[in-house]
Amino acid sequence: MSSFLSGRTILVTGATSGIGYETARRLAECGATVLLHGRTPAEARAAVDRLIATADVDADMLRPCAADFAHLDEVERLANRITAGYPHLDVLVNNAAVAAPERHTVTPDGNELAFQVNFLAHYLLTNLLEPVLTTDPGGRVVNVSSSMHRTGSIMWNDPNRTRRYSRLAAYAQSQLALTVFAADPRVTAVSVNPGVCETALRPLYGHEGATPSEGAAHVARLCDPAVEIVNGAYYDRSERMEPASGATEERTVKRLNKLADVLVGHSA
């Protein structure tokens, strides 16, 4: 078993199934301490127990943590618990995602569900974890995006899509926002499209996918400090490619930060 990640602490959001679960498995097998995030404490605990039973990992290397990303106050509490318990976090993998529902759905915070869970919650979590995210070489944020970010557009005047809602457009917007966020100069971050995999999101794509484990390999690779990254870079599986045009423009990044700050209630 390779232990090239020993001594490193990595948080994986949405780690109870699919690509997130397989990413957590790979990282733990390589020696990292993995904070395994789930929507509820029971789901996170069950995922940890399942990994201990089926993978070649030390139980001490896995720590369950929970927050429902449809509730931003839970995201804040999660960030507070992590900053209190871990003086430094080497990698944050922003992976949790939901398929946008058929009908327009708004969270208790007032945001469209997919935009909040897939992007705003990660935006808030990343900013709140900034004090503990290591600035050492190899420290980074990995945003798990999707090729669908290319079909997306951010509706600046109606990000919650109250006037015109389509689940595909809402999902694509959330993925585009997450991809743009990787170019934020405040943190060293990249985004990666792990490919279409057989997960709960697969029906959105309409064709068969690879296994979650194959997708997770592309995510885990970017967590390796030996893999040099460029801030804002976008990877399609293992190949670095240009993201959607404009996704890394400074103006777009600033505009998105301003919008997100307002929507998460952290306006400066």
Side-chain angles (χ1 to χ4, degrees), residues 39 56 71 98 101 114 129 135 226 232 238 248 251 268:
R39 200 170 53 89
D56 181 16
H71 297 267
V98 292
L129 290 178
T135 50
S238 57
T248 54
R251 196 178 48 135

Side-chain angles (χ1 to χ4, degrees), residues 147-231:
S147 57
M148 279 178 72
H149 88 275
R150 296 188 186 283
T151 66
S153 61
I154 297 167
M155 293 189 71
W156 300 105
N157 299 323
D158 184 23
N160 293 322
R161 296 182 172 262
T162 40
R163 290 192 289 280
R164 281 183 58 209
Y165 178 79
S166 114
R167 66 185 304 222
L168 280 179
Y171 179 74
Q173 170 178 264
S174 72
Q175 297 303 305
L176 175 58
L178 193 62
T179 305
V180 171
F181 180 41
D184 187 326
R186 288 176 294 182
V187 288
T188 301
V190 293
S191 50
V192 55
N193 162 35
V196 177
C197 300
E198 290 296 339
T199 68
L201 297 175
R202 210 273 306 153
L204 281 174
Y205 296 88
H207 48 83
E208 286 180 22
T211 65
S213 179
E214 287 170 85
H218 301 299
V219 180
R221 186 184 77 88
L222 291 168
C223 297
D224 178 356
V227 174
E228 284 194 27
I229 58 167
V230 176
N231 197 51

Side-chain angles (χ1 to χ4, degrees), residues 4-247:
F4 64 87
L5 290 177
S6 66
R8 297 179 79 76
T9 304
I10 302 176
L11 167 61
V12 181
T13 70
T16 55
S17 66
I19 291 170
Y21 178 78
E22 292 298 333
T23 298
R25 174 204 297 276
R26 283 174 178 270
L27 297 173
E29 285 177 344
C30 290
T33 295
V34 181
L35 311 185
L36 212 118
H37 159 263
R39 200 170 53 89
T40 65
E43 284 176 37
R45 183 73 252 173
V48 164
D49 291 343
R50 200 160 80 242
L51 273 183
I52 292 167
T54 61
D56 181 16
V57 295
D58 183 343
D60 295 343
M61 309 305 274
L62 298 167
R63 314 279 167 85
C65 57
D68 181 347
F69 281 10
H71 297 267
L72 292 176
D73 57 339
E74 290 196 24
V75 176
E76 292 207 31
R77 284 202 292 275
L78 172 66
N80 291 338
R81 284 196 300 273
I82 291 170
T83 49
Y86 299 88
H88 80 272
L89 189 62
D90 295 286
V91 183
L92 165 60
V93 179
N94 287 325
N95 164 76
V98 292
E102 291 287 353
R103 307 182 74 125
H104 187 261
T105 308
V106 175
T107 68
D109 301 293
N111 303 305
E112 187 274 315
L113 182 72
F115 198 57
Q116 176 162 322
V117 172
N118 302 355
F119 166 63
L120 291 171
H122 285 125
Y123 176 86
L124 179 60
L125 182 64
T126 305
N127 285 331
L128 293 174
L129 290 178
E130 207 183 331
V132 294
L133 270 167
T134 182
T135 50
D136 297 344
R140 61 196 55 183
V141 175
V142 178
N143 291 343
V144 180
S145 176
S146 139
S147 57
M148 279 178 72
H149 88 275
R150 296 188 186 283
T151 66
S153 61
I154 297 167
M155 293 189 71
W156 300 105
N157 299 323
D158 184 23
N160 293 322
R161 296 182 172 262
T162 40
R163 290 192 289 280
R164 281 183 58 209
Y165 178 79
S166 114
R167 66 185 304 222
L168 280 179
Y171 179 74
Q173 170 178 264
S174 72
Q175 297 303 305
L176 175 58
L178 193 62
T179 305
V180 171
F181 180 41
D184 187 326
R186 288 176 294 182
V187 288
T188 301
V190 293
S191 50
V192 55
N193 162 35
V196 177
C197 300
E198 290 296 339
T199 68
L201 297 175
R202 210 273 306 153
L204 281 174
Y205 296 88
H207 48 83
E208 286 180 22
T211 65
S213 179
E214 287 170 85
H218 301 299
V219 180
R221 186 184 77 88
L222 291 168
C223 297
D224 178 356
V227 174
E228 284 194 27
I229 58 167
V230 176
N231 197 51
Y234 171 77
Y235 292 84
D236 191 322
R237 288 160 284 221
S238 57
E239 296 292 310
R240 185 177 169 193
M241 295 179 87
E242 283 301 311
S245 70

